[in-house]
Amino acid sequence: MKTEPPKAKAKSRGREVAIPGIAVSPGVAIGQVFDTSDPPAEAPRRRIAAEAIEAERAKLAAAIAFSRKQISKLKTRIGVLPEEAQEEISPLLDAHLMMLGNSRLIRGARKRIETELLGAETAVGDEAEGIIAAIQAIKEDDKAGLARRAAEVRDIARRLVRNLTATPFRSLKDLPEGCILVAEELTPADAALLDPARIAGVATEEGGADGHTAIMLRALGIPAVLGAHGLTEAAQRGDAAVLDGAAGRVVLHPTAATLAEAKDRLAAFARERTKLGKLRRLPAETTDGEQVELQANLEIPQELPLIAQAGAQGIGLLRTEFLFMNREDLPDEDAQVEAYTQVVDAMEGLPVTIRVLDWGGEKDMEALAEGVVPVHAGGNPALGLRGLRMLLKRPELLEVQFAAVLRVASAGADGNVRLLLPMVTVPEEVRQAREIYERVARRLRRRGERLPEKLPPLGVMIETPGAALAADAIALEADFFAIGTNDLAMYTLAVDRAEAEVSHLYDPLHPAVLRLVQFATEAALRLRMPVSICGEMAGNPLLTPLLLGLGVRTFSMNASSIPRVKQAVRALDIGGCARFARRVMEQSDPARIRELVAGFAEGVTERA
């Protein structure tokens, strides 16, 4: 398809223009552009006299109260959305309501009014910018999580400033049926107002694949492309457009050939969605009858509806860091019991693996800032006091988590809860953790808790070359392994994916990484110990044959990846996977390995 860049728009109005963006929500939309934007808030920087402090504080208080009223009203409106979308947006709106309470944003804005003599809207803007800059400065792997936290602060600050300046919000009530909505940016609250039955697609200049807006659009099933730079400049209301949410592309003024191709893809997508939807209730079983367990990773409880929708067979990695973020005090045992119980109950008897706190030195957790962890994470936090190392240094944190999980297990979890230790490198660390675990169990029993006779299994993350190479010894101390391929690749190749200069060297198909995965897997299998794979490798259907061939039978991944991995599993036989894995492991060239993986996957696709 011949296309032109968006800057050529002025000279080529009416000619086909393709604008790339980020693929966010799959599906094809064909319709007319309906552009919309929020009127900009007029909020010039403003200073006040000391006598005006109380008036500005009162003005801020009124804006907070009005913002809370708006969000509460929005909560009553979302009842018409699909259930999974309701369950996605409702906790987010609750979080916004909490941020309008005694949060760092509100406290900081009040302080700036009093000490810097700033107008309320200037104080809110400055405080929000400071918080966002601090979040963006954090060095950690979870860039998506950081971006979401920054976006939440930005959204609530914008709402406050608009209310402080009496600037109206855009209306999304009367969108033309079948239109493609084009905007510079869309907030999750905006997305909650969209009617999936009336709108064909969404495209914006800003946003990414992991933000709340993207999650909302996926939950609503609206084809969407975000981060399409140049789109709002190139598009005009009423322009014909084709949006491909899987390819991440918007085509303006499509030719007849492009339209015909889009209609074919629209029909094919409908067929594919029907096919993947039918997989939800089918077993993840190879053609020769081998059962494979496909579980989901869970970062925040809001993901539970997506996990259920994907047909996950449990949670293979429940990250507990969310309990320690955006709060100033440590979550106590009862608070943790409540949080874990919510997840375990939602999974209705399916297994849940809870990883204890994986503070990485570079992660910003206010709750840990007051004397719990070092003020300075050191010159290289990835190699410093993190994961289990930190917890053994501050065992009171580990004891509270162990106690909470044991109480959940004693309350009828019926053997479906497991505990996972992060960043283990030597067997002695596991021994120390187990001593604490058993001590906590004895204390709970003395307290009258009816714990199961056999305590929940205590497993180990294999995520460093040292742990993988010492897997034989560590296996003697652990009850199961979870191989974390993201960190394992990073530590093995000495590459930080977030560093642009070296990110091209990050390659999970590097022979060194694969051999470590193989070594750790075989160490577990020799002892008949459960072993699972988590990280991006687990969710990539291209790698499913290789991992099955190496002996892995349990995968934990993002919920959205489960249907396609299941589709791959159901097209494979274990004998063929084993032969393929042997062939791959004989290679020493990553490029050759990628060729073999792509070639094998092509055959699987034809069979699926």
Side-chain angles (χ1 to χ4, degrees):
M1 180 176 63
K2 184 178 180 181
T3 59
E4 297 182 22
K7 287 183 179 176
K9 179 253 326 183
K11 296 180 180 178
S12 60
R13 163 71 39 201
R15 295 177 59 184
E16 183 168 290
V17 178
I19 301 174
I22 300 169
V24 161
S25 180
V28 176
I30 302 172
Q32 291 188 329
V33 167
F34 187 86
D35 58 318
T36 178
S37 61
D38 261 335
E42 295 293 337
R45 193 168 185 79
R46 189 167 62 89
R47 291 194 172 276
I48 60 172
E51 302 79 50
I53 289 176
E54 284 308 314
E56 290 300 314
R57 283 177 57 94
K59 189 177 170 186
L60 177 60
I64 292 170
F66 191 61
S67 297
R68 293 181 66 86
K69 187 176 177 183
Q70 288 173 324
I71 294 173
S72 297
K73 191 175 178 182
L74 180 58
K75 285 194 69 173
T76 65
R77 288 181 181 171
I78 62 175
V80 298
L81 298 179
E83 186 178 353
E84 59 269 31
Q86 288 183 44
E87 294 182 21
E88 171 60 36
I89 189 68
S90 187
L92 179 63
L93 296 180
D94 287 339
H96 281 198
L97 287 172
M98 287 180 64
M99 288 174 65
L100 289 167
N102 189 31
S103 67
R104 178 178 168 184
L105 174 65
I106 302 302
R107 293 197 312 274
R110 287 174 182 148
K111 189 174 180 181
R112 286 176 188 269
I113 291 173
E114 295 166 4
T115 60
E116 299 178 29
L117 299 178
L118 296 177
E121 63 278 8
T122 306
V124 169
D126 284 4
E127 185 61 25
E129 285 180 15
I131 295 172
I132 291 168
I135 292 172
Q136 291 173 336
I138 299 170
K139 292 183 178 179
E140 66 170 69
D141 281 350
D142 185 17
K143 298 297 180 188
L146 294 177
R148 279 198 294 269
R149 289 165 58 195
E152 288 171 7
V153 175
R154 189 178 296 114
D155 286 351
I156 207 66
R158 282 179 180 172
R159 181 176 292 278
L160 279 171
V161 170
R162 296 187 86 79
N163 287 330
L164 282 164
T165 56
T167 305
F169 291 80
R170 66 179 152 201
S171 173
L172 297 171
K173 286 183 182 176
D174 301 316
L175 297 177
E177 189 165 354
C179 74
I180 294 177
L181 181 67
V182 171
E184 186 170 340
E185 187 174 19
L186 206 66
T187 68
D190 289 333
L193 295 174
L194 298 177
D195 182 354
R198 289 186 60 83
I199 193 167
V202 169
T204 68
E205 292 249 2
E206 305 293 334
D210 299 308
H212 287 297
T213 299
I215 294 171
M216 272 299 296
L217 292 169
R218 282 194 288 271
L220 290 168
I222 299 175
V225 175
L226 305 188
H229 301 301
L231 176 63
T232 55
E233 183 188 352
Q236 289 187 3
R237 186 171 297 188
D239 283 348
V242 170
L243 179 150
D244 189 329
R249 182 177 59 203
V250 181
V251 178
L252 300 173
H253 316 296
T255 63
T258 300
L259 273 175
E261 183 190 351
K263 288 176 182 174
D264 288 344
R265 281 185 283 120
L266 186 60
F269 176 76
R271 290 193 297 271
E272 177 72 5
R273 187 163 57 180
T274 302
K275 188 175 176 182
L276 289 177
K278 289 178 180 175
L279 284 175
R280 179 186 173 191
R281 299 189 187 283
L282 294 177
E285 182 180 282
T286 60
T287 57
D288 51 349
E290 186 79 14
Q291 297 291 327
V292 179
E293 210 168 359
L294 303 183
Q295 300 179 337
N297 300 336
L298 186 129
E299 185 181 345
I300 51 176
Q302 290 93 319
E303 294 172 283
L304 282 169
L306 295 176
I307 288 172
Q309 191 180 17
Q313 296 167 275
I315 293 175
L317 178 60
L318 166 56
R319 299 181 172 100
T320 57
E321 288 77 36
F322 74 91
L323 279 166
F324 296 79
M325 291 178 170
N326 299 318
R327 59 184 299 158
E328 295 180 340
D329 57 341
L330 293 167
D332 63 18
E333 189 178 307
D334 288 341
Q336 294 193 43
V337 167
E338 184 179 355
Y340 304 147
T341 299
Q342 178 193 357
V343 176
V344 170
D345 287 351
M347 295 312 295
E348 298 179 337
L350 292 171
V352 176
T353 300
I354 301 173
R355 188 182 69 185
V356 294
L357 177 65
D358 186 17
W359 182 78
E362 73 281 22
K363 293 178 182 174
D364 178 26
M365 296 184 190
E366 288 184 36
L368 299 177
E370 297 298 325
V372 178
V373 297
V375 175
H376 300 292
N380 196 337
L383 303 180
L385 188 64
R386 60 170 300 181
L388 186 60
R389 299 171 183 177
M390 191 277 284
L391 293 173
L392 292 176
K393 198 94 173 173
R394 299 301 302 258
E396 66 273 21
L397 294 173
L398 193 56
E399 289 175 3
V400 171
Q401 282 205 285
F402 280 162
V405 174
L406 285 169
R407 283 175 57 190
V408 173
S410 71
D414 199 23
N416 60 332
V417 173
R418 306 193 305 177
L419 269 160
L420 187 57
L421 303 172
M423 192 66 180
V424 171
T425 48
V426 293
E428 176 58 25
E429 291 171 325
V430 188
R431 282 194 286 271
Q432 289 182 34
R434 191 176 290 280
E435 286 174 8
I436 295 172
Y437 187 45
E438 292 174 351
R439 186 170 71 229
V440 169
R442 290 195 295 273
R443 189 179 69 210
L444 288 177
R445 286 186 171 118
R446 287 198 298 273
R447 211 166 73 185
E449 297 283 350
R450 298 182 61 184
L451 302 184
E453 186 177 342
K454 186 176 180 182
L455 296 180
L458 190 64
V460 165
M461 288 285 292
I462 301 294
E463 50 192 337
T464 66
L469 292 171
D472 293 274
I474 292 176
L476 297 174
E477 308 296 337
D479 297 322
F480 65 95
F481 280 170
I483 303 175
T485 54
N486 294 352
D487 278 353
L488 182 61
M490 177 184 78
Y491 285 119
T492 303
L493 304 175
V495 171
D496 182 349
R497 285 182 299 170
E499 294 291 339
E501 296 291 330
V502 296
S503 60
H504 64 285
L505 297 172
Y506 181 88
D507 182 4
L509 289 180
H510 190 290
V513 178
L514 295 181
R515 286 168 189 163
L516 290 172
V517 171
Q518 181 185 36
F519 194 90
T521 301
E522 290 179 351
L525 295 179
R526 277 195 292 273
L527 293 181
R528 299 183 183 277
M529 173 193 292
V531 56
S532 64
I533 288 274
C534 54
E536 291 179 8
M537 289 180 76
N540 186 345
L542 298 180
L543 304 183
T544 304
L546 174 60
L547 295 172
L548 286 175
L550 292 176
V552 178
R553 297 292 182 268
T554 304
F555 299 67
S556 187
M557 64 199 82
N558 291 327
S560 59
S561 301
I562 289 176
R564 293 191 184 283
V565 172
K566 184 185 284 187
Q567 188 178 38
V569 167
R570 292 177 57 84
L572 295 166
D573 71 273
I574 290 299
C577 291
R579 289 190 293 276
F580 172 64
R582 282 197 293 273
R583 190 175 175 203
V584 168
M585 298 311 293
E586 290 169 354
Q587 310 301 318
S588 57
D589 179 6
R592 176 60 183 152
I593 292 175
R594 283 194 291 275
E595 284 179 11
L596 289 173
V597 167
F600 196 89
E602 192 174 340
V604 172
T605 303
E606 290 171 357
R607 294 193 296 274

